[in-house]
Amino acid sequence: MASTYPNSNMPVPGGPPPTNGHPGMPPGAAPSSTTPPDYFTESRKGEVNELRALLRTFGTEKDRNRKRDIMKKVIAYMTLGIDVSRLFTEMMLAIETRDLVIKKMVYLFLCNYAETHPDLAQMCTNTLVKDCGNEDPMVRGLALRALCSLRLPQMIEYTSEPLRKSLQDGHAYVRKTGVMGILKMYHLNQEEFDKASFNDILYDMLRDPDSSVVTNCILVLNEIMADSGGMALNRAVMLHLLNRIHEFSEFGILSVLDLVPRYIPANDDEGFQIMNLLDPVLRTANAGAVVATIRAFLSIADAVGKRPGDDRDPDSPTVDDLKRQVVVRIKAPLVTLIASSSNELAYVLLKYADQLIDLCPGIFDDEYRQFYVKYSDPTHIQHSKVRILAKLANPQSAPDIVSELSELVANVDDTMGRIAVRSMCSIALRDSGGEGAVESIAMRLVEMLDLQGIPHVSSEAAVSLASLVRRHPSIASAISAPLPRALKYVTEQSGKAALIFLIGECGESIIEAPYVLEKVIDSYENITDDPVKTSLLAATVTLFFKRPSEVQSMLGRLLKKATDDVSSQDNHDRALFYYRLLRSSPDPSVAKSIITSKSMAMSTDHFAEEDDTELRAALMNEFNTLCTIYRCKPENFIDEENLVKFVKMPPEHPLPREEAAAPVVDPGVNHISDQFGAAAITDALPSDAVAPAAAPSGEVDLLGFGDDFGSPPPAVNTSSLQTLSLKSSVSLSGDEYQSKWGEVADTDAVVVSALPLRAAPVSTDAVEGSLSAFNLFTMASGELPTEFKFFLYCQEEAGGFYLIQAVVQKAPASLSLTVKSHGYQNDPTKVNQVVELIKTSLGE
Amino acid sequence: MISMIMVLNQKGEIMISRQYRDDVSRVAADSFRIQVIAAKEASSQPPIKRIENCSFLYTRHLNMYFVALTKSNVNPALVFEYLFQKIRVLKAYLGEEFDESSMRNNMTLIYELMDETMDFGYPQNCAVDVLRLYINLGNVKPQDEPEPEQLTKQITGAIDWRREGIRYKKNEVYIDVLESVNLLISSTGSILRSEVTGRVQMNTKLTGMPECKFGLNDKLVIEKESAGNRKKPGVEIDDCTFHRCVRLGKFDADRTITFIPPDGEFELMRYRVNDNVNLPFRLIPAVQEEGQTKCTINLKVIANFSEKLFATHVVIKVPVPKNTSKSKIKNSFGRAKYEPEQNAIVWRIKRFPGKAECMLTVDLELVRTVRPKAWVRPPINVEFQVPMFTASGVHVRFLRVYDKSGYHTNRWVRYITKAGGYQVRI
């Protein structure tokens, strides 16, 4: 066998020695001709003819290396985009060779020009078909790949036989090439393809012993059945693939992972088992696999979690709880990947992190330092980090984050400066910075107004202040002083408009307000920007009601000017509206109540135009795709023929929601289940596959907390938690904690002592992490030689606090609790629920 | 799936292109050139660009662009992983620093690799060790030719990272623990961020299919083993990822790292440590701006590691205002000079002994500017390498190699700590 194998690249004895004529070319890489050829000189007229002459000598040329060189020249021309299709006939003569390298080059040439020279290409099909029966599997595979890549619809009749044969080939290399060939045929001629009915064979081949064949089968089926959402899934197929997931290659594993989000687990246990099985994938270095796993987890959480109002088992945890736990689990791997990856991957991963933070706010908060900007980061990464940073602010971290952001304001990159200002503003708007944060941010913004050297920052600061005043009207008087001054040097129109608006709003505390506005009104003709005019109108009218005597005459002038100005329909109409409103009623208080009504003060933390809940939900469905990067839905940037519908399968599994009513699935699916039934795949996952992660008692390890715990927390037992709902963010300072603790008499506390635990936790951090997933927060914790101590708190939606002192004995592992409820009477059932919750999160 | 892979040079000319699908054409290269390569701030553009409905995902090697084109909604992380893997494969074949001319001279080889690693837009086998079994041009020396039978098994087998029948006279393993320290200190001297990201690189020259067990001084493992007598506290590793040869189930169960290694060089694991970082250098800067024309910068640098060690390639960049006209520099050792193109005083010290202290004093004269603009004060940036030192305190406890034949293995361990982003604000 070895002697017939043609792929030996050892220099032929007697051939010319390799020359290393090219600088920078590694030894051994040199083409072995006597003169180092330069393939990329300007193409002169007649060069193609020269090549033709060379090719004609090809048959008589004995030296293999020289033959290869001729071929290389042809391919080089092709790469440059020079049309060498005239050489087709000559090239085809060279196809009969035992040199694999030459063969591959001819195949490449063939595939490139077959479409434009179908007649000539047809001539060489015989050789290709013959090669498909070659004794060397390598040759068989190569020939098959070339044959399928010709893109000649009329060739289908020649293709389908070798293709069918290849699927039963003894060598996986040929089989996997054949499977891909089926897809190529599908794209070439769907009618012929349907006749050949390859679908069933492909489903059969999902059981192929070789994982790369299976990978290709999945990919091909997904594409062929894109109209019905991709490969048909049922329980047997899914479990079979998941059980084998460790055999798949680095990229192959992704094909299986991408199926999971579409699969509906038969029951909750199965969902958790799949999570356990996939948990180790989070430790691989392949970022693609990690994000695919995250998506799979989130989708399982979606399927098995309980939703408000559905009649599922009340024991099961809710969707949101589960999603939070998923995000807690994947936080560390994601952060590691961001920190250690190349810039390109970091960019992509930051987008994903951003999306996850929106999904479950609060969980990434303690990692905020990871999102500090490095001076050496490329700008697009810096921008992503700063946007994320603002979302991580909580009362503890806000001072750090705000001072970090203000460092970036004066950045050389203008956009960066703007984003930094806006991010600070958004912390204040969302009120996530705790007490005093709004005021301190407002003060920083006021300082920025005076940064005359950096015009874009002062303008951006003005815009931010305008938003802030709408959200927190109380700060108006504190920021008013520098406004008239700033109006003189803010040059950007958006900043000007914001300042004029602010001057109107803060009219009471700025003595010179009317005179400042008067100046602007008098130069009304010079204003080119519509928003500036609009805000000037609004500000003047607002100010009129605050200081009527001073403003009356200028308001008249302004309304005259504005109604005469026809450059903007909107402004003109507004001016008319104000004018008629003021004239209509003899009692100005009516107009006043309309214009100065306080309903404009915002009660929510975002502006209506920034509400993107719907978009976010749509994006979560397409989590690990380009959608996240572009922040738009797939139909906005993907051509219709490439759109893949997202269909959850299989139909026989119950769906938690009515919206995903049984999807239409190709009838071809049903019989697969029979085949798989025969294939002796056990319904449950084989124990060895689950064993490493499963808890000793056979309970389900929910999210691989097994890493951190001696024993993992099982599926949350929330049976008794129907009435207890805890706030997901509570701010409580140490002093408040102490005073609240002191207010409740020790006799009123509920004491639970020495509950046995299966195993003691490893560290305080591990416990705190899982407690916070249940909205139980840690005030302080510590490790003593024999025990862990925790001071915990949580707040009910209704407002009452529970303060808990927990002591975990290391050996024998046991838990003692002292629970004090603050704010209302002791409700023993609720206290019991809190106790249950703690036990659950400790893994009991 | 990917429709086309192109390699472009700095001018935007196609060097190599392989079309896997019909839905894009070479003309796309033109729009990429105009919108990305020719764009003014090429380096600051995000690595994913959408032009009409075609997405371009790209990365660079030296001055070449490796671009993947797609019209479908792909998993971008997967595409980048593929492009990186592609570059790794090319490095193995053409040398670490392969450039345009070596690409062009080995075009056919590259086409072969393009065809083997991807079929119809889906990544296929990308493991260098397996590829080199049947594509052996370029730097890769042909090995003993395996039987075709065995060969195709290798291309698709379960352990695709190592082939059977490897033989060495001397069995050796080289382990490199490479750490990079990220540090950010505010102008008031408080640490805003300190973190170590580490990598364990291995080069194995082992016979057969050996089973390896590898141990670091991981806190969790050490505490378990020496319950009670805690002599050396281990290092708390925040998170780690592994090469795919490592049995992850086993690691999750009892934190042991076991694997059958690929032959030759590979990255075994990456890790991250946040707490108790030993910062190799302490910097104490003081900046005084006197009026608009004078500025004084004092900088004290202290090496915090043992006197038995020394740092090499220390480069400290102290930023100065753009309008600097004259500089007077005094420094205790190394060489420092003003480099106007970097707007910085660059201080180079070839060998910095442990526990040493050195000083730099710079007096600057500034030119008056028409519109005084405040100096934004970029941070001081430090680069260094400290051999045989790990900032996280991680060290290799053992590497055991088990093979049927029971041969003896020589092990060599090396540690290097480098600066990642080591910055001090002033």
Side-chain angles (χ1 to χ4, degrees):
Chain A
M1 199 76 153
S3 60
T4 61
Y5 187 65
N7 183 16
S8 156
N9 294 302
M10 299 292 283
V12 176
T19 50
N20 286 337
H22 290 270
M25 198 161 66
S32 321
S33 66
T34 37
T35 49
D38 198 353
Y39 307 118
F40 289 90
T41 45
E42 283 294 299
S43 119
R44 291 183 304 273
K45 198 187 167 202
E47 285 232 337
V48 180
N49 288 335
E50 258 172 54
L51 270 180
R52 187 198 301 261
L54 268 178
L55 274 171
R56 293 225 164 110
T57 67
F58 197 84
T60 53
E61 179 65 62
K62 289 281 185 298
D63 180 4
R64 195 172 56 183
N65 284 323
R66 218 169 276 163
K67 280 182 166 182
R68 284 186 183 178
D69 270 350
I70 299 172
M71 282 294 152
K72 273 192 190 175
K73 270 194 182 169
V74 178
I75 302 293
Y77 275 41
M78 197 179 85
T79 306
L80 274 182
I82 298 168
D83 184 14
V84 283
S85 60
R86 276 186 289 159
L87 302 176
F88 208 97
T89 335
E90 284 80 8
M91 286 295 278
M92 285 314 107
L93 290 175
I95 205 168
E96 294 279 2
T97 173
R98 308 193 73 158
D99 184 345
L100 261 190
V101 175
I102 293 182
K103 220 174 188 104
K104 282 183 192 170
M105 285 192 255
V106 180
Y107 285 165
L108 183 67
F109 180 91
L110 189 59
C111 297
N112 238 302
Y113 290 112
E115 224 169 344
T116 46
H117 297 75
D119 305 340
L120 289 169
Q122 214 151 0
M123 285 185 348
C124 58
T125 4
N126 272 336
T127 323
L128 284 176
V129 172
K130 206 175 81 196
D131 278 351
C132 288
N134 194 295
E135 58 185 355
D136 180 353
M138 219 38 220
V139 177
R140 290 206 294 274
L142 288 174
L144 191 67
R145 194 163 65 204
L147 192 62
C148 296
S149 308
L150 288 180
R151 304 192 187 117
L152 294 176
Q154 65 267 43
M155 297 269 295
I156 290 249
E157 46 183 315
Y158 299 99
T159 339
S160 57
E161 247 347 276
L163 207 52
R164 199 177 291 276
K165 237 200 292 177
S166 72
L167 299 179
Q168 269 129 40
D169 199 285
H171 288 274
Y173 183 75
V174 184
R175 290 203 299 277
K176 87 171 179 148
T177 313
V179 172
M180 251 331 151
I182 294 179
L183 184 59
K184 292 171 190 166
M185 180 176 167
Y186 169 79
H187 281 283
L188 215 52
N189 188 335
Q190 294 203 13
E191 272 172 41
E192 283 293 324
F193 173 83
D194 291 340
K195 267 187 230 161
S197 68
F198 279 121
N199 272 14
D200 299 348
I201 305 178
L202 285 176
Y203 279 114
D204 257 346
M205 286 180 76
L206 289 175
R207 280 181 297 163
D208 195 281
D210 189 283
S211 64
S212 63
V213 178
V214 181
T215 305
N216 282 0
C217 281
I218 298 173
L219 295 170
V220 171
L221 280 169
N222 271 340
E223 212 175 312
I224 290 174
M225 310 202 35
D227 289 343
S228 49
M231 183 177 125
L233 288 174
N234 62 24
R235 186 153 189 242
V237 176
M238 197 68 234
L239 295 187
H240 170 73
L241 292 174
L242 285 171
N243 284 338
R244 289 182 60 186
I245 198 156
H246 305 291
E247 297 169 24
F248 283 79
S249 75
E250 197 179 353
F251 291 99
I253 201 167
L254 271 142
S255 60
V256 180
L257 288 173
D258 283 340
L259 294 178
V260 178
R262 286 186 17 229
Y263 175 71
I264 307 160
N267 50 45
D268 295 0
D269 278 351
E270 188 179 289
F272 294 127
Q273 280 176 340
I274 294 175
M275 286 202 201
N276 278 327
L277 196 68
L278 296 183
D279 191 71
V281 182
L282 290 175
R283 292 209 178 276
T284 56
N286 186 325
V290 173
V291 286
T293 311
I294 296 175
R295 182 178 175 193
F297 277 16
L298 288 173
S299 121
I300 294 175
D302 220 25
V304 303
K306 189 169 65 75
R307 287 161 198 287
D310 72 15
D311 54 348
R312 292 153 63 84
D313 181 1
D315 283 3
S316 48
T318 66
V319 171
D320 290 342
D321 285 348
L322 277 179
K323 283 194 175 165
R324 286 189 78 81
Q325 290 178 48
V326 167
V327 178
V328 167
R329 170 67 188 98
I330 57 91
K331 182 171 75 170
L334 192 62
V335 168
T336 307
L337 277 176
I338 291 173
S340 64
S341 293
S342 62
N343 285 334
E344 286 85 1
L345 276 176
Y347 171 75
V348 172
L349 295 169
L350 281 169
K351 296 269 180 187
Y352 292 143
D354 196 357
Q355 208 180 345
L356 291 173
I357 290 165
D358 282 343
L359 180 74
C360 298
I363 291 179
F364 277 82
D365 283 7
D366 52 344
E367 293 283 2
Y368 66 95
R369 286 168 198 274
Q370 291 291 340
F371 298 94
Y372 277 9
V373 167
K374 280 193 225 160
Y375 198 66
S376 50
D377 283 337
T379 42
H380 51 269
I381 290 193
Q382 293 191 349
H383 295 172
S384 299
K385 284 187 173 173
V386 172
R387 289 200 184 97
I388 291 177
L389 208 49
K391 297 182 185 175
L392 301 180
N394 63 22
Q396 285 85 47
S397 60
D400 283 357
I401 291 177
V402 171
S403 69
E404 177 66 20
L405 288 173
S406 45
E407 292 272 348
L408 298 169
V409 164
N411 201 289
V412 262
D413 170 24
D414 285 9
T415 327
M416 185 74 224
R418 284 178 198 274
I419 296 174
V421 177
R422 252 177 263 164
S423 302
M424 279 162 92
C425 172
S426 79
I427 294 176
L429 281 182
R430 267 185 288 127
D431 228 348
S432 52
E435 214 169 296
V438 173
E439 288 73 16
S440 86
I441 289 172
M443 283 306 112
R444 279 182 197 265
L445 289 172
V446 169
E447 279 166 31
M448 284 175 215
L449 279 181
D450 286 337
L451 283 178
Q452 297 180 38
I454 328 174
H456 64 272
V457 170
S458 30
S459 157
E460 201 65 44
V463 174
S464 298
L465 280 171
S467 312
L468 269 190
V469 168
R470 284 172 65 191
R471 174 84 171 90
H472 302 283
S474 57
I475 62 163
S477 58
I479 62 156
S480 58
L483 296 176
R485 181 166 26 126
L487 188 61
K488 287 189 193 121
Y489 49 70
V490 167
T491 46
E492 279 184 27
Q493 298 302 324
S494 58
K496 260 205 163 96
L499 281 173
I500 292 172
F501 167 81
L502 282 171
I503 290 172
E505 284 298 305
C506 311
E508 305 95 326
S509 41
I510 307 174
I511 303 165
E512 69 268 41
Y515 311 104
V516 177
L517 286 187
E518 186 163 30
K519 248 190 213 160
V520 185
I521 291 169
D522 288 342
S523 60
Y524 183 86
E525 293 77 16
N526 300 334
I527 305 174
T528 49
D529 197 58
D530 287 342
V532 178
K533 290 180 183 171
T534 314
S535 69
L536 182 61
L537 268 173
T540 315
V541 176
T542 320
L543 197 61
F544 169 68
F545 288 110
K546 291 178 176 163
R547 301 159 73 167
S549 56
E550 291 157 287
V551 181
Q552 189 169 18
S553 78
M554 66 175 87
L555 177 62
R557 266 179 288 150
L558 175 65
L559 288 177
K560 167 102 179 63
K561 282 181 185 181
T563 44
D564 288 348
D565 175 12
V566 287
S567 64
S568 155
Q569 188 70 45
D570 183 29
N571 273 327
H572 175 260
D573 289 357
R574 260 172 217 253
L576 269 182
F577 165 74
Y578 284 134
Y579 175 70
R580 289 175 183 147
L581 181 70
L582 292 170
R583 280 218 1 194
S584 62
S585 80
D587 178 12
S589 67
V590 177
K592 185 177 182 179
S593 70
I594 292 172
I595 288 170
T596 60
S597 85
K598 276 296 160 206
S599 67
M600 61 172 294
M602 294 160 56
S603 51
T604 53
D605 54 2
H606 58 270
F607 295 101
E609 64 266 28
E610 286 164 11
D611 183 17
D612 52 359
T613 330
E614 192 197 345
L615 176 66
R616 272 192 221 159
L619 290 184
M620 271 329 286
N621 266 342
E622 305 279 346
F623 178 67
N624 58 347
T625 62
L626 287 171
C627 290
T628 313
I629 311 291
Y630 300 144
R631 272 194 83 75
C632 64
K633 295 183 195 172
E635 50 270 32
N636 296 348
F637 68 97
I638 299 289
D639 294 336
E640 204 174 327
E641 68 265 25
N642 288 332
L643 267 183
V644 179
K645 241 194 323 181
F646 188 73
V647 180
K648 288 216 169 204
M649 288 177 201
E652 62 266 27
H653 288 173
L655 270 170
R657 275 163 302 170
E658 68 291 343
E659 64 189 70
V664 186
V665 180
D666 194 271
V669 191
N670 290 333
H671 75 276
I672 330 165
S673 50
D674 309 340
Q675 289 164 3
F676 273 91
I681 297 165
T682 48
D683 250 4
L685 298 176
S687 55
D688 60 338
V690 198
S697 68
E699 282 207 49
V700 186
D701 177 359
L702 184 52
L703 287 175
F705 281 119
D707 300 353
D708 305 317
F709 279 85
S711 76
V716 191
N717 181 0
T718 37
S719 54
S720 52
L721 301 188
Q722 282 300 318
T723 50
L724 183 78
S725 67
L726 297 177
K727 279 192 184 175
S728 60
S729 77
V730 183
S731 68
L732 193 67
S733 73
D735 291 341
E736 285 170 309
Y737 190 92
Q738 288 228 324
S739 67
K740 283 199 164 66
W741 184 268
E743 279 168 44
V744 182
D746 281 350
T747 47
D748 286 339
V750 178
V751 180
V752 182
S753 56
L755 290 166
L757 292 177
R758 271 204 298 276
V762 183
S763 69
T764 53
D765 287 356
V767 178
E768 287 174 37
S770 56
L771 283 170
S772 67
F774 291 96
N775 296 330
L776 287 159
F777 303 96
T778 311
M779 179 56 68
S781 65
E783 185 175 350
L784 299 170
T786 58
E787 59 186 349
F788 292 97
K789 264 195 167 178
F790 299 91
F791 291 93
L792 311 168
Y793 62 95
C794 56
Q795 189 178 12
E796 250 206 300
E797 291 292 6
F801 277 96
Y802 290 101
L803 309 176
I804 305 124
Q805 182 189 18
V807 177
V808 180
Q809 286 283 345
K810 281 181 181 169
S814 67
L815 167 75
S816 304
L817 295 169
T818 311
V819 184
K820 291 189 176 182
S821 50
H822 182 274
Y824 40 80
Q825 288 301 309
N826 253 339
D827 178 348
T829 60
K830 283 198 176 178
V831 171
N832 269 336
Q833 285 166 23
V834 174
V835 173
E836 281 302 324
L837 208 54
I838 294 170
K839 279 167 66 183
T840 315
S841 62
L842 277 172
E844 287 309 297
Chain B
M1 62 290 189
I2 294 169
S3 296
M4 181 151 119
I5 300 273
M6 315 190 279
V7 183
L8 305 178
N9 64 11
Q10 189 127 48
K11 292 181 215 152
E13 295 162 349
I14 296 186
M15 294 163 56
I16 302 280
S17 78
R18 181 75 177 90
Q19 200 173 339
Y20 295 102
R21 299 265 172 154
D22 286 335
D23 52 4
V24 294
S25 73
R26 288 171 61 102
V27 185
D30 294 334
S31 39
F32 182 77
R33 184 180 61 236
I34 295 163
Q35 298 211 21
V36 178
I37 300 181
K40 257 187 195 157
E41 295 149 0
S43 59
S44 65
Q45 293 236 1
I48 301 179
K49 176 84 185 171
R50 191 171 95 210
I51 302 173
E52 284 166 11
N53 274 352
C54 185
S55 299
F56 293 74
L57 293 88
Y58 66 97
T59 180
R60 294 177 71 164
H61 169 76
L62 301 183
N63 49 13
M64 291 176 277
Y65 290 82
F66 284 74
V67 193
L69 283 71
T70 180
K71 286 207 154 182
S72 53
N73 198 8
V74 293
N75 175 348
L78 162 73
V79 177
F80 282 121
E81 289 283 4
Y82 173 77
L83 288 178
F84 295 148
Q85 185 61 29
K86 176 109 225 166
I87 292 173
R88 269 194 291 271
V89 168
L90 289 176
K91 279 181 178 167
Y93 274 90
L94 305 176
E96 274 296 307
E97 293 291 306
F98 71 91
D99 58 4
E100 259 189 84
S101 71
S102 54
M103 287 279 282
R104 293 204 146 138
N105 290 319
N106 292 288
M107 213 173 37
T108 44
L109 164 71
I110 292 164
Y111 274 121
E112 279 186 63
L113 292 172
M114 288 245 177
D115 276 344
E116 266 335 304
T117 52
M118 179 161 278
D119 195 1
F120 212 47
Y122 291 112
Q124 301 287 309
N125 170 46
C126 301
V128 182
D129 280 337
V130 182
L131 284 171
R132 72 173 88 200
L133 285 176
Y134 57 104
I135 300 178
N136 35 28
L137 290 165
N139 262 5
V140 173
K141 295 275 165 343
Q143 296 165 341
D144 325 330
E145 225 164 83
E147 293 287 308
E149 184 81 15
Q150 190 200 339
L151 192 147
T152 37
K153 236 185 228 156
Q154 278 298 331
I155 300 173
T156 54
I159 298 183
D160 60 358
W161 59 85
R162 187 182 181 95
R163 67 190 175 92
E164 278 177 49
I166 299 173
R167 233 167 255 287
Y168 285 99
K169 269 191 193 147
K170 260 191 195 168
N171 290 294
E172 292 177 315
V173 180
Y174 298 87
I175 306 169
D176 284 355
V177 179
L178 309 172
E179 296 202 330
S180 64
V181 199
N182 294 311
L183 174 77
L184 185 60
I185 291 186
S186 75
S187 48
T188 54
S190 60
I191 295 178
L192 295 177
R193 174 184 178 191
S194 72
E195 181 200 52
V196 174
T197 55
R199 287 180 297 149
V200 179
Q201 294 269 23
M202 275 200 181
N203 190 353
T204 58
K205 298 177 188 302
L206 295 171
T207 305
M209 297 292 266
E211 175 83 35
C212 298
K213 195 171 171 188
F214 177 76
L216 292 173
N217 54 337
D218 182 351
K219 190 179 178 189
L220 293 180
V221 176
I222 292 197
E223 277 177 5
K224 208 165 53 183
E225 285 176 2
S226 58
N229 58 336
R230 284 187 208 165
K231 273 175 286 178
K232 284 185 208 156
V235 173
E236 200 174 313
I237 294 176
D238 283 86
D239 188 56
C240 41
T241 60
F242 295 103
H243 187 271
R244 55 200 213 81
C245 65
V246 176
R247 294 197 183 83
L248 297 166
K250 191 106 174 77
F251 179 81
D252 281 341
D254 54 10
R255 277 185 98 85
T256 54
I257 303 168
T258 53
F259 54 96
I260 296 174
D263 192 35
E265 281 182 43
F266 69 102
E267 183 183 290
L268 178 70
M269 68 182 283
R270 288 187 207 173
Y271 57 86
R272 188 161 56 90
V273 174
N274 277 336
D275 299 330
N276 301 324
V277 176
N278 309 316
L279 297 172
F281 286 99
R282 207 145 65 86
L283 279 80
I284 306 167
V287 180
Q288 258 186 320
E289 285 177 83
E290 293 156 28
Q292 284 181 21
T293 55
K294 269 198 173 158
C295 181
T296 318
I297 302 173
N298 280 298
L299 177 66
K300 190 174 178 184
V301 182
I302 305 161
N304 255 346
F305 45 88
S306 140
E307 54 265 77
K308 286 177 199 152
L309 304 174
F310 56 89
T312 59
H313 302 93
V314 180
V315 181
I316 303 171
K317 279 186 199 156
V318 183
V320 296
K322 275 188 186 155
N323 53 342
T324 301
S325 64
K326 252 191 203 167
S327 62
K328 219 172 79 191
I329 304 170
K330 273 197 298 189
N331 54 308
S332 47
F333 55 73
R335 282 178 157 198
K337 71 172 190 202
Y338 172 49
E339 295 191 1
E341 66 276 14
Q342 301 208 43
N343 286 318
I345 307 284
V346 181
W347 184 13
R348 294 187 170 85
I349 304 159
K350 279 204 185 119
R351 201 183 145 102
F352 200 124
K355 298 287 174 213
E357 266 185 44
C358 64
M359 287 289 296
L360 174 77
T361 313
V362 185
D363 289 309
L364 299 171
E365 276 180 36
L366 312 177
V367 187
R368 258 178 210 284
T369 48
V370 188
R371 273 181 64 209
K373 199 172 173 180
W375 178 35
V376 292
R377 294 196 181 192
I380 296 176
N381 195 42
V382 190
E383 290 165 34
F384 54 79
Q385 279 186 18
V386 190
M388 301 318 282
F389 172 81
T390 53
S392 63
V394 161
H395 65 87
V396 177
R397 284 169 64 222
F398 58 82
L399 174 77
R400 298 191 191 110
V401 180
Y402 306 97
D403 190 72
K404 282 183 293 222
S405 55
Y407 52 73
H408 177 75
T409 313
N410 286 321
R411 288 160 294 231
W412 313 91
V413 186
R414 196 164 58 156
Y415 303 93
I416 297 177
T417 291
K418 279 189 201 167
Y422 207 86
Q423 297 178 335
V424 180
R425 289 185 180 153
I426 51 175

